[in-house]
């Protein structure tokens, strides 16, 4: 599929859904797809970058749950810069 803000948000929402049911590998996979999709779009597409920020927050939760708080904080910092 062609990258779009809507596609980025679809992946971000799926990432959060997987996270909520403790499916962390799937959450990370979908979050990475959201970030990659958003990254393929122009910087002016704030909708897509908000999706990437949301996906990074989900990934940070997975990192924290997996005992990697430093990586979680780094992901949150990146998310903050995109939001």
């Amino acid at each position: 599929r062609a990258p779009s803000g809507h596609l980025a948000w679809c992946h971000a929402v799926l990432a959060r859904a997987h996270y909520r049911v403790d499916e962390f590998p799937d959450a990370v996979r979908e979050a990475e797809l959201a970030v990659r999709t958003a990254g393929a779009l122009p910087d002016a597409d704030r909708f897509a970058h908000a999706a990437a920020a949301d996906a990074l927050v989900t990934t940070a939760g997975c990192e924290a749950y997996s005992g990697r708080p430093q990586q979680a904080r780094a992901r949150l910092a990146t998310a903050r810069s995109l939001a």
Side-chain angles (χ1 to χ4, degrees), residues 11-37:
H11 287 300
V13 168
L14 285 171
R16 189 166 294 267
H18 284 297
Y19 176 79
R20 298 287 293 173
V21 294
D22 297 337
E23 295 173 348
F24 300 120
D26 292 327
V28 170
R29 178 180 44 80
E30 290 295 339
E32 288 173 350
L33 287 169
V35 171
R36 202 170 317 135
T37 301

